[in-house]
Amino acid sequence: MMYVTRREYFNAAHKVYNPEWSDAKNAEVFGGCANPNWHGHNYVLFVTVKGEISKETGFVIDLKKLSQIIKKEIIEKVDHKNFNLDVPFLKEVLPSTENVTVAFWKILEKPVLDMGCKLHSIKLQETENNYVEYFGE
Ligand code: NI
């Protein structure tokens, strides 16, 4: 089994807050991420797939095609957008890095399978120091 990773970039705005809490509690828990007038991050997305090496190509997956799928299904929908307002698949989702990563998994799982591989992990880096990684469970 071989693991292959594609990296992509996007910028997006969000506000992480729980509407059931007071402004003070949101500020205490989420800090700057609860700023009422939004803020942005330069996200780095790592999509790792796993599969066997093809005898014909020597590839596990055609990374050009994987990149096209990530761009079409994810990047075009979130880049320069506001997670809270502009992205249909994040409606009703508290847009923490964790929840956004789970939403990306749900979108990419099937297209990756259709390319003959399995989605292994999605890593989403929100800042230089913080990232989350999801393995589908
Ligand atoms: Ni934030």
Side-chain angles (χ1 to χ4, degrees):
M1 187 68 69
M2 181 68 77
Y3 297 78
V4 177
T5 300
R6 174 71 193 181
R7 177 177 60 182
E8 303 285 351
Y9 299 92
F10 64 93
N11 320 120
H14 73 168
K15 173 171 65 173
V16 182
Y17 73 112
N18 184 330
E20 292 176 9
W21 293 350
S22 67
D23 288 349
K25 181 159 185 191
N26 273 295
E28 182 193 323
V29 173
F30 298 120
C33 271
N35 178 44
N37 289 327
W38 323 104
H39 66 279
H41 294 282
N42 297 318
Y43 289 93
V44 188
L45 171 65
F46 298 83
V47 176
T48 301
V49 305
K50 61 184 173 187
E52 301 298 335
I53 301 172
S54 161
K55 286 202 171 65
E56 286 181 312
T57 63
F59 297 162
V60 168
I61 194 165
D62 182 335
L63 278 169
K64 187 159 49 23
K65 285 186 186 156
L66 178 61
S67 173
Q68 285 167 355
I69 284 172
I70 298 168
K71 284 187 174 126
K72 177 168 165 270
E73 301 293 337
I74 306 277
I75 306 296
E76 286 175 12
K77 293 174 182 169
V78 298
D79 191 30
H80 289 68
K81 298 282 169 50
N82 180 315
F83 285 160
N84 302 74
L85 301 178
D86 301 326
V87 182
F89 65 79
L90 293 176
K91 280 261 150 61
E92 313 298 326
V93 173
L94 181 73
S96 64
T97 319
E98 290 87 333
N99 284 337
V100 171
T101 301
V102 170
F104 288 178
W105 178 283
K106 288 178 184 164
I107 289 169
L108 289 177
E109 192 172 20
K110 176 148 192 322
V112 169
L113 261 184
D114 290 345
M115 294 182 71
C117 287
K118 274 189 144 177
L119 191 54
H120 173 67
S121 71
I122 293 184
K123 183 165 112 181
L124 186 59
Q125 183 178 312
E126 190 177 75
T127 70
E128 268 186 39
N129 295 325
N130 296 339
Y131 67 82
V132 308
E133 194 162 12
Y134 184 55
F135 298 88
E137 58 184 36

